[in-house]
């Protein structure tokens, strides 16, 4: 999973910071309760958005999923936890109920975040795009992949880091959503992302005829 310290490093990118500031400004207009959201809070909400999209693919966010989302957000932003009026929880709840309005804008910010970390090193980027870099063994390929890309893959699409290396069963609509998000983030043509998607097991009874 991405850590708060790593996130601080990423936000140093000027293009990313400007894009984040613009989106945050619009988001804060929604509710006065959001005004206390820090930059850490907001970028954590942004990175949680794919998990919200995947949860909503099944129709709604369950109570368990809401708790999981909040826990993931806390890994990146702990400051709000100690505030008397925590702005993070209502912001996540609002986003879940109004996701279609914000989804594409949040994915665009994630795309900028990911690409800002990769564009600085052409060697890493070329390796990531090279299908010959794969061995056919996802676990080994995950270990060999660029560190920051694996971090993103884990945080955006998994509950825990270990899930990347274990067999994962999801519904067909969830997998379709992951693939769609990959298109939005422009990583759908990255071989290891394709291998990652192909590794999911569709839960019995969830296949749509």
């Amino acid at each position: 999973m991405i850590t708060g310290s790593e996130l601080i490093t990423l936000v140093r990118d000027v293009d990313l910071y400007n894009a984040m500031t613009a989106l945050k400004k619009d988001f804060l207009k929604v509710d006065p309760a959001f005004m206390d959201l820090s930059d850490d809070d907001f970028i954590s909400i942004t990175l949680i958005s794919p998990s919200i999209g995947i949860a909503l693919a099944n129709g709604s966010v369950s109570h368990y999923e809401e708790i999981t989302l909040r826990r993931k957000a806390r890994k990146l932003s702990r400051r709000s936890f100690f505030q008397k009026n925590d702005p993070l929880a209502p912001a996540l709840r609002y986003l879940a109920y109004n996701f279609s309005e914000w989804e594409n804008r949040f994915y665009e910010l994630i795309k900028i975040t990911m690409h800002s970390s990769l564009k600085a090193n052409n060697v890493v980027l070329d390796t990531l795009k090279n299908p010959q870099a794969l061995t056919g063994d996802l676990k080994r390929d995950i270990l060999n992949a660029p560190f920051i890309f694996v971090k993103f893959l884990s945080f955006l699409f998994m509950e825990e880091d270990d899930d990347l290396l274990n067999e994962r069963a999801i519904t067909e609509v969830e997998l379709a959503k992951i693939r769609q998000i990959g298109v939005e983030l422009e990583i759908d043509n990255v071989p290891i992302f394709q291998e990652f998607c192909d590794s999911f097991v569709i839960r019995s009874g969830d296949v749509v005829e």
Side-chain angles (χ1 to χ4, degrees):
M1 294 283 179
I2 296 174
T3 66
S5 298
E6 290 163 346
L7 199 58
I8 290 172
T9 301
L10 291 173
V11 175
R12 289 176 183 169
D13 182 87
V14 175
D15 292 338
L16 169 58
Y17 182 78
N18 289 339
M20 180 191 72
T21 301
L23 182 56
K24 180 184 174 185
K25 182 178 179 181
D26 289 343
F27 192 77
L28 295 186
K29 294 176 183 177
V30 171
D31 191 321
F34 300 167
M35 293 302 295
D36 289 331
L37 286 170
S38 66
D39 287 347
D40 289 352
D41 292 332
F42 187 73
I43 199 68
S44 69
I45 291 172
T46 300
L47 294 178
I48 287 295
S49 60
S51 296
I52 296 176
I54 294 166
L56 288 172
N58 287 314
S60 63
V61 177
S62 68
H63 180 63
Y64 170 77
E65 288 169 330
E66 184 177 338
I67 293 173
T68 300
L69 291 170
R70 207 176 301 172
R71 187 174 68 242
K72 283 181 71 174
R74 290 269 176 250
K75 291 181 179 180
L76 294 181
S77 181
R78 299 181 182 275
R79 186 182 70 89
S80 296
F81 184 77
F82 299 101
Q83 290 181 252
K84 183 176 180 180
N85 296 311
D86 175 12
L88 196 57
L92 283 172
R93 197 172 302 114
Y94 164 81
L95 185 59
Y97 280 105
N98 300 274
F99 195 62
S100 61
E101 181 180 346
W102 296 93
E103 180 177 15
N104 290 339
R105 296 185 68 184
F106 275 88
Y107 292 163
E108 179 65 23
L109 184 55
I110 294 174
K111 182 176 73 175
I112 295 172
T113 305
M114 294 184 72
H115 288 252
S116 71
S117 67
L118 295 170
K119 68 183 181 183
N121 192 323
N122 288 331
V123 174
V124 171
L125 194 57
D126 290 344
T127 300
L128 192 61
K129 292 180 177 180
N130 185 3
Q132 295 182 344
L134 299 184
T135 67
D137 180 344
L138 178 63
K139 293 182 180 181
R140 184 174 296 277
D141 292 336
I142 287 290
L143 295 176
N144 292 337
F147 177 73
I148 190 60
F149 188 81
V150 173
K151 286 272 191 173
F152 274 115
L153 203 63
S154 175
F155 193 89
L156 297 178
F157 302 113
M158 298 284 96
E159 287 187 21
E160 302 291 344
D161 285 336
D162 288 348
D163 291 345
L164 275 176
L165 300 178
N166 297 324
E167 183 177 284
R168 292 152 279 108
I170 60 175
T171 66
E172 190 172 44
V173 292
E174 287 171 335
L175 178 55
K177 188 63 179 182
I178 290 174
R179 292 186 187 277
Q180 179 206 330
I181 294 170
V183 172
E184 297 292 335
L185 301 183
E186 295 183 3
I187 59 171
D188 55 306
N189 62 342
V190 174
I192 195 168
F193 176 75
Q194 296 169 345
E195 186 180 27
F196 164 72
C197 290
D198 291 341
S199 70
F200 282 101
V201 175
I202 301 299
R203 285 203 292 263
S204 177
D206 289 322
V207 177
V208 178
E209 299 295 339

